[in-house]
Amino acid sequence: MKVTIYGSGYVGLVTGTCLAEVGNEVVCVDIDQRKIDMLNNGRIPIYEPGLEPLVTNNKEAGRLSFTTDVAAGVDHGLFQFIAVGTPPDEDGSADLQYVLAVAKSIGEHMNEYRIVVDKSTVPVGTADKVHAQIKETLAQRRKNIEFDVVSNPEFLKEGAAIDDFMKPDRIVIGSNNPRTTELLRALYAPFNRNRERIVTMDVRSAELTKYAANAMLATKISFMNELANIAERLGADIEQVRIGIGADPRIGYHFIYPGCGYGGSCFPKDVQALERTAREIDYDAKLLQAVEHTNNRQKQVLFEKIQRHFQGELNGRTFALWGLSFKPNTDDMREAPSRVLMEALWEHGARVRAYDPEAREEARRIYGHRDDLQLCDNALEATDGADALIVVTEWKEFRSPNFDNIKASLTQPVIFDGRNIYDPNTLRTCGFTYYSIGRP
Ligand SMILES: NC(=O)c1ccc[n+]([C@@H]2O[C@H](COP(=O)([O-])OP(=O)(O)OC[C@H]3O[C@@H](n4cnc5c(N)ncnc54)[C@H](O)[C@@H]3O)[C@@H](O)[C@H]2O)c1
């Protein structure tokens, strides 16, 4: 089948590549010339495990191509996937300008029936807006061409995106036209072989399903972080509590890890956008507000511990920071807890020596060259001469380091662990002062 994907970011590039991998002819359109040039020159603009060889193979097989030419994109695909960003607007609601810009381009160039698929995470009612935008643009061209708009939210996780797309938990198709649903069913058939994963529903329910999923996951994290803060003050150990509650199958062990807050391009903005949607319909979404508030506060917790330990004297100190990306296996630093922490440290006159296996370039792009940030080539280079080590992202390579080497390279043996990856007893035996989240 012929597919066009607008947006070659984490979602669009993975979607396009995986659809090409199963035999479809895919054209990826992006307005970012730099990204398209990189992709055409065999380079991948993001870090996503397993993506590079798939892109290369499918390009070479002639099933996957990249362009900034919107007209060619509209001309190519029966399926027109919108996978552009939906960042927060000034008031926290989802900014639909990129989605509607794509809709307008489709209306400007469309000459025959098209299925427009909203894959971006968009508020309830967006499919109607996309429909209205295309219809209006067609009317300006005095054209009356049939088209459908479908909601097909994406649930992939950065860092495991290929696997998630190839073997999805579910494929949600929100459509009010049974014929279109069947065409999408056919497109997704290769990913739906070992059991029925396709869930069909009306468009508005599909749009809400994506927000509901992310809000639920964010709620689990904020709940555990709240409990961790309470545990810490009561002299209880949140890790013991986690094991104790996870054993209940109604609760389960997934996604109940305490930490230094959730980040990324999805949870923070989606919880916020859902809360703003509720506000627009005069519903006071107290739980969603609390989830967001709790997370913002949690992103300060490491800094507060650091400040307490150094009795407020941070000016002139140097901190080793392990992990810049918002979670392991990605270079994505959007809303990452590391950013809140570094910015607080810099504000108080401290310097940061940071190491991340993949996010170094992204950190350079965000912060440029600054005297108080040194991006290091390896973990031990970061600790060299620092006053303390702070672990912000739980990359695998941080899990079992050589503590003697760390101790020898720090000026003081202090570790702040924002992900509870170390055993407090081991670290104390090794002579460290060790701070973690929610443990005595
Ligand atoms: N990142 C994730 O893990 C994830 C998971 C599920 C859903 N989503 C949702 O998917 C959407 C995309 O997220 P992302 O992380 O891939 O974003 P991204 O920022 O990585 O990529 C978006 C891309 O869209 C391009 N773009 C903007 N306007 C365009 C236009 N008019 N035509 C063509 N391209 C255009 C940008 O240049 C950029 O390359 C968002 O709504 C997001 O909430 C993201």
Side-chain angles (χ1 to χ4, degrees):
M1 296 194 200
K2 291 191 172 184
V3 181
T4 299
I5 315 259
Y6 300 91
S8 301
Y10 290 88
V11 169
L13 190 54
V14 170
T15 302
T17 306
C18 292
L19 287 173
E21 175 71 8
V22 297
N24 298 294
E25 289 170 37
V26 179
V27 171
C28 293
V29 181
D30 203 292
I31 48 168
D32 185 340
Q33 185 72 53
R34 187 193 63 96
K35 254 186 197 177
I36 295 299
D37 288 346
M38 281 180 82
L39 287 160
N40 280 329
N41 291 322
R43 283 162 45 224
I44 310 291
I46 53 169
Y47 172 74
E48 182 58 49
L51 182 58
E52 191 166 350
L54 278 189
V55 171
T56 311
N57 291 347
N58 284 287
K59 244 177 69 184
E60 281 170 6
R63 290 189 298 262
L64 180 64
S65 63
F66 302 98
T67 181
T68 54
D69 184 348
V70 178
V74 181
D75 192 47
H76 172 80
L78 165 65
F79 297 97
Q80 302 271 312
F81 276 79
I82 307 182
V84 298
T86 45
D89 217 336
E90 271 162 31
D91 68 350
S93 56
D95 181 351
L96 291 178
Q97 63 165 309
Y98 306 103
V99 170
L100 295 177
V102 175
K104 189 158 183 272
S105 320
I106 294 172
E108 278 164 357
H109 300 287
M110 194 167 93
N111 289 314
E112 56 185 318
Y113 175 69
R114 290 288 175 258
I115 298 170
V116 179
V117 186
D118 285 345
K119 187 158 263 317
S120 298
T121 302
V122 288
V124 175
T126 301
D128 294 341
K129 288 186 184 164
V130 167
H131 196 278
Q133 177 70 70
I134 297 174
K135 211 169 163 59
E136 187 192 319
T137 316
L138 284 172
Q140 286 161 1
R141 290 171 57 207
R142 300 184 192 286
K143 297 269 185 188
N144 186 10
I145 304 167
E146 203 196 332
F147 66 95
D148 282 303
V149 181
V150 178
S151 167
N152 170 224
E154 182 50 57
F155 298 93
L156 64 77
K157 301 181 288 294
E158 283 175 27
I162 304 287
D163 232 33
D164 286 348
F165 197 94
M166 292 293 193
K167 289 178 239 142
D169 298 326
R170 75 296 213 191
I171 300 162
V172 171
I173 301 174
S175 163
N176 299 332
N177 180 346
R179 192 188 63 177
T180 320
T181 306
E182 286 318 301
L183 286 167
L184 270 156
R185 233 182 221 292
L187 181 68
Y188 276 114
F191 311 98
N192 193 38
R193 285 173 64 82
N194 91 337
R195 66 174 167 85
E196 180 58 85
R197 296 157 198 258
I198 293 177
V199 186
T200 57
M201 57 181 78
D202 65 277
V203 173
R204 295 176 89 85
S205 302
E207 289 172 332
L208 186 55
T209 298
K210 175 64 194 177
Y211 283 100
N214 275 357
M216 170 64 107
L217 294 170
T219 302
K220 286 183 96 170
I221 298 176
S222 275
F223 174 82
M224 277 316 274
N225 285 338
E226 181 115 288
L227 261 283
N229 296 336
I230 294 171
E232 201 170 296
R233 286 160 177 80
L234 292 175
D237 180 344
I238 193 64
E239 291 299 335
Q240 306 284 336
V241 175
R242 179 176 67 75
I243 292 162
I245 63 171
D248 181 336
R250 293 170 305 175
I251 297 174
Y253 286 112
H254 289 296
F255 245 73
I256 54 168
Y257 290 94
C260 51
Y262 60 76
S265 68
C266 293
F267 292 174
K269 84 168 169 58
D270 292 349
V271 170
Q272 221 179 57
L274 182 56
E275 194 275 324
R276 300 305 184 272
T277 298
R279 206 181 284 189
E280 275 166 28
I281 47 168
D282 287 328
Y283 182 77
D284 189 16
K286 291 240 183 296
L287 180 60
L288 297 176
Q289 290 159 21
V291 169
E292 187 185 343
H293 178 78
T294 304
N295 191 56
N296 290 339
R297 192 174 59 183
Q298 197 67 15
K299 285 183 175 174
Q300 306 288 342
V301 163
L302 275 179
F303 179 73
E304 286 161 12
K305 288 176 192 278
I306 294 165
Q307 231 191 359
R308 256 198 312 278
H309 176 86
F310 290 99
Q311 297 172 334
E313 287 169 17
L314 301 182
N315 195 14
R317 289 196 186 278
T318 301
F319 292 94
L321 192 142
W322 283 3
L324 291 162
S325 56
F326 82 92
K327 67 171 179 181
N329 297 325
T330 181
D331 59 349
D332 197 340
M333 285 180 64
R334 285 178 282 189
E335 305 279 338
S338 66
R339 294 173 67 164
V340 176
L341 176 59
M342 287 195 294
E343 286 161 25
L345 290 170
W346 291 331
E347 206 175 295
H348 287 75
R351 301 161 64 84
V352 175
R353 294 169 64 84
Y355 169 68
D356 186 286
E358 293 296 338
R360 192 186 150 119
E361 286 313 311
E362 183 59 5
R364 176 92 64 216
R365 191 188 66 77
I366 296 168
Y367 293 113
H369 286 272
R370 42 185 302 162
D371 290 345
D372 48 9
L373 172 63
Q374 188 171 346
L375 295 166
C376 300
D377 288 335
N378 60 62
L380 214 54
E381 188 190 326
T383 52
D384 190 24
D387 291 291
L389 166 63
I390 316 166
V391 181
V392 185
T393 315
E394 66 280 31
W395 283 91
K396 278 212 177 69
E397 68 171 84
F398 302 152
R399 292 193 184 205
S400 193
N402 182 325
F403 289 113
D404 290 338
N405 288 348
I406 295 174
K407 199 171 158 195
S409 69
L410 292 171
T411 61
Q412 316 175 26
V414 188
I415 296 182
F416 298 91
D417 176 359
R419 300 293 175 185
N420 289 0
I421 58 176
Y422 303 131
D423 173 41
N425 289 332
T426 309
L427 284 214
R428 276 168 206 143
T429 313
C430 291
F432 283 94
T433 305
Y434 177 65
Y435 298 91
S436 55
I437 307 287
R439 296 192 282 186

